[in-house]
Structure formats: C-alpha cells, structure tokens
C-alpha cells in the first residue's frame, strides 16, 4: 500500500483509547513480513489485558521512530479527496504512523539497519504504553516521536499541569443565605485569583497559559451549595516545581488543591536543514526518557486534531516519508 492507502487502513480500525487491540494486531501483522524479510523482529508487547505496544527492530537500535496507536473519541471513518486524507487519527497519529513505516521500508531497502519502530497505547489518556516501554528500553541514542508539527522539527513542547480544586460548605435555603456557607463562592474567589496570575514567559517556548476547563457544584438554584470543584490546565514553560509553588500561592485555605498530572516542558534537538517550530501540546516524550535524545516531527496540524474535521494533507504525508528517512540518515552520521 502507498502512504495514503496505509493511512486510511489505519484510520478505519477504531482505536479509541482502551480499545487498541485490533489496531495493534494490524500493525504487528503488517510489520512482521517486513521484519522477517530484512532480518528483524516484530513483537506485540502486553501492557495490560488486550492492550499491546508494537515494537519492530532491526539490528541494535540506535534510532527509534515512535508514536501512539490510540485516538480520542468518536470514531470517524476515512475518506479522501485530492488534497487530504480525512478521519479520526488522520493527523493524530495514523498518517504519521504510515509515513514512519513507509520511510522504514525505504531505509531497509537501502540497507540501513540499527533502527526500530515503537507504537504505544494510551497516549491520549495516561500514557500507560509509554510508561511501560520506558521500563524496557534497549537504550537507543535518539527517539523520533511523531505528532502533527506540519513537518517542522519541534524545538520544544510546553508542559502540562492539571489542577484539581475542591471547596466544601454548608447547605441552607437560598432565602436565608446567612445560615449556609457557599462552596461555589469559595471556589469562584480562588478561580479568579488563578485567572489573574501572571505566569512565566520563556524566550523559546513562549507564554504559559491557563485554561479552566471544568466547573461543577451545587444541588439546586435555591440551595446554598455545600460542594464545588473545578479542573484547570496550565501549559507550563518554566520549571515544574517553580510553577506549582507560584500557583499554590494564589489559593487560600478554603479550597483543597491537588496536581494529578505534572508533565514537564521539554526542549529538543535541532538538526541542520530542517524547518523548526515550537508546540504547545504535550507528548509521550517526557514518559520515554530512556529512549534517547528526543526529536518531534510529523505531518498535519494539531489545529484539526480532536475535531470533526480532522485531516492530513496528502502532500505532507509524502514529504514526511522523505523527512523521516533523511532524518535517520543524518542522525546516523552524527553518532
């Protein structure tokens, strides 16, 4: 299959996070003949029941292509026109996977060895596949991670700090508010201070940003609320501990605060001849610290990922095959 057909084949296998069994089997079955033909090995590595990372390798891997098998919901089947391949995962990251595989096929035909491909489960939720893989690394020198960067090599990605905020109070009839204690008022006061916090700016990564994405609380319009909660996400460009210390300082003792997700900002390697960019999203790279010096590259734009209009330009898919192929060759000359 060419890169367009392979992208569509991947898209048409529903693989919403937690349901990666079929896509993992397809990847393994596609890669096994390629591994056998060129003296390599293709493996399905169990992460948990019915969830497998897929790892194909040739020789002693110095460079590893990696991206994820899962997508966000809902499943959207593929279609194509003269300019794009459409569907869930088109750019995040099934088109990237197809480009990596086609680049690997070309490299193997040229006699290049000592590289691998790692496809992991769970990136869109908790990174379980990457965490598992990190404990079983073969120790390569470079990790080429795939996410949509419009085929530009990312110099950095922002961190991800999730903040959970809870407030408790006392119920009362809304006509006698003085008899109660509003949890929502406590929460809103603290959220306002969070919104007004001046967060760090980095010369490469840009501004830190804060988004309050979830708010819940209350029992009825005429009841003083006894509980309220919110979830916010800060895209961090500074040291994570420093960011948490700064954010902690805005909250008072009327709320309980926790930080269940702490993914640090990452700075990455530049390579001569490649256009560069900086991305605001997070990737599996911080979870794959044992897989070598990271690079981030892939066709498509993050602006349409996770949307009903997800698509990847065909031109960029073709370009990505050559970019991935050339990147491996260039990294090998620097070893």
């Amino acid at each position: 299959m060419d890169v367009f057909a392979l992208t569509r084949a991947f898209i048409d296998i529903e693989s919403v996070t937690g349901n990666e069994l079929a896509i993992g089997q397809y990847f393994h079955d596609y890669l096994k003949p390629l591994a056998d033909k060129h003296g390599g090995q293709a493996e399905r590595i169990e992460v948990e029941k019915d969830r497998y990372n897929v790892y194909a390798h040739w020789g002693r891997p110095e460079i590893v292509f990696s991206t994820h098998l899962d997508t966000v919901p809902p499943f959207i089947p593929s279609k194509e026109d003269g300019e794009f391949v459409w569907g869930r995962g088109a750019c995040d990251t099934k088109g990237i996977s197809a480009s990596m595989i086609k680049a690997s096929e070309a490299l193997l035909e040229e006699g290049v060895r000592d590289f691998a491909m790692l496809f992991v489960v769970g990136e869109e939720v908790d990174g379980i596949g990457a965490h598992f893989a990190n404990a079983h690394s073969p120790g390569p020198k470079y990790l080429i991670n795939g996410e949509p960067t419009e085929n530009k090599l990312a110099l950095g990605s922002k961190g991800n700090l999730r903040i959970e905020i809870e407030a408790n109070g006392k119920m009362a009839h809304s006509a006698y508010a003085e008899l109660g204690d509003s949890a929502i008022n406590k929460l809103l006061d603290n959220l306002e201070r969070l919104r007004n916090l001046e967060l760090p700016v980095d010369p490469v990564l840009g501004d830190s940003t804060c988004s309050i994405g979830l708010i819940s609380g209350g029992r009825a319009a005429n009841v003083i609320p006894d509980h309220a909660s919110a979830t916010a996400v800060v895209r961090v460009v500074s040291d994570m501990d420093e960011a948490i210390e700064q954010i902690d300082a805005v909250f008072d003792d009327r709320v309980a605060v926790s930080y269940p997700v702490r993914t640090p900002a990452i700075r990455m390697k530049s390579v001569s001849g490649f256009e560069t960019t900086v991305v605001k999203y997070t990737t599996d790279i911080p979870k794959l610290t044992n897989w070598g010096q990271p690079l981030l590259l892939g066709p498509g734009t993050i602006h349409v990922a996770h949307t009903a209009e997800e698509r990847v330009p065909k031109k960029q898919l073709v370009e990505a095959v050559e970019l991935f192929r050339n990147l491996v060759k260039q990294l090998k000359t620097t070893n």
Side-chain angles (χ1 to χ4, degrees):
M1 283 188 278
D2 64 25
V3 69
F4 309 142
L6 190 58
T7 298
R8 292 194 64 179
F10 291 161
I11 292 170
D12 287 332
I13 301 171
E14 188 268 296
S15 58
V16 171
T17 308
N19 191 36
E20 302 101 335
L21 182 61
I23 191 70
Q25 186 64 60
Y26 190 94
F27 269 61
H28 176 265
D29 292 348
Y30 187 94
L31 292 172
K32 189 175 186 310
L34 185 65
D36 292 344
K37 178 181 178 181
H38 295 281
Q41 188 174 358
E43 307 173 62
R44 292 170 73 230
I45 302 171
E46 187 175 30
V47 175
E48 62 180 23
K49 184 176 175 9
D50 292 335
R51 302 181 76 189
Y52 295 82
N53 290 342
V54 178
Y55 180 55
H57 52 98
W58 294 265
R60 297 174 61 87
E62 299 172 332
I63 302 166
V64 178
F65 290 121
S66 181
T67 191
H68 55 93
L69 296 166
D70 62 314
T71 69
V72 298
F75 170 67
I76 304 172
S78 74
K79 63 180 181 180
E80 69 178 287
D81 54 32
E83 189 174 359
F84 298 103
V85 176
W86 301 71
R88 177 58 75 229
C91 67
D92 187 20
T93 56
K94 293 182 176 182
I96 295 169
S97 299
S99 297
M100 287 178 167
I101 289 172
K102 300 309 290 186
S104 296
E105 290 175 357
L107 289 165
L108 290 166
E109 288 297 330
E110 295 174 51
V112 177
R113 298 293 185 273
D114 297 331
F115 73 95
M117 287 183 282
L118 172 70
F119 301 101
V120 299
V121 298
E123 188 270 350
E124 296 289 2
V125 175
D126 56 8
I128 187 173
H131 282 300
F132 186 91
N134 208 41
H136 304 87
S137 169
K141 294 181 179 179
Y142 297 107
L143 174 75
I144 303 172
N145 193 242
E147 292 287 350
T149 68
E150 299 181 78
N151 280 341
K152 298 175 183 178
L153 202 60
L155 297 179
S157 63
K158 296 185 180 183
N160 179 13
L161 178 64
R162 185 175 300 171
I163 312 169
E164 302 284 353
I165 309 142
E166 291 192 62
N168 291 305
K170 179 183 176 183
M171 284 190 290
H173 194 291
S174 63
Y176 298 89
E178 70 275 10
L179 299 180
D181 183 20
S182 173
I184 286 179
N185 286 347
K186 296 175 184 178
L187 182 69
L188 291 177
D189 290 346
N190 279 273
L191 290 180
E192 184 65 14
R193 286 197 290 273
L194 178 63
R195 288 181 61 223
N196 291 327
L197 177 63
E198 291 190 13
L199 292 163
V201 177
D202 182 87
V204 174
L205 299 178
D207 296 344
S208 302
T209 59
C210 179
S211 171
I212 300 168
L214 292 171
I215 297 179
S216 64
R219 305 206 177 240
N222 57 351
V223 177
I224 301 301
D226 63 328
H227 183 266
S229 64
T231 302
V233 171
V234 174
R235 298 295 175 173
V236 177
V237 301
S238 59
D239 176 80
M240 184 62 72
D241 290 338
E242 291 177 2
I244 291 173
E245 183 178 357
Q246 184 181 11
I247 292 165
D248 262 338
V250 308
F251 297 118
D252 61 37
D253 59 6
R254 297 179 298 164
V255 294
V257 181
S258 63
Y259 302 94
V261 176
R262 308 181 185 198
T263 305
I266 297 292
R267 297 175 186 274
M268 286 169 279
K269 178 180 174 62
S270 62
V271 176
S272 176
F274 283 77
E275 287 188 76
T276 61
T277 188
V278 171
V279 298
K280 297 181 180 181
Y281 54 80
T282 57
T283 71
D284 267 336
I285 286 174
K287 305 175 187 73
L288 292 169
T289 54
N290 295 329
W291 285 77
Q293 187 173 4
L295 302 96
L296 184 64
L297 178 71
T301 171
I302 198 69
H303 295 165
V304 297
H306 300 192
T307 75
E309 302 300 314
E310 185 169 355
R311 61 196 181 273
V312 62
K314 289 182 169 181
K315 179 180 178 181
Q316 288 188 17
L317 286 173
V318 173
E319 289 173 346
V321 174
E322 288 306 302
L323 288 170
F324 284 134
R325 177 172 159 266
N326 292 335
L327 185 55
V328 167
K329 290 183 171 182
Q330 195 159 337
L331 291 174
K332 279 184 170 289
T333 66
T334 63
N335 285 351

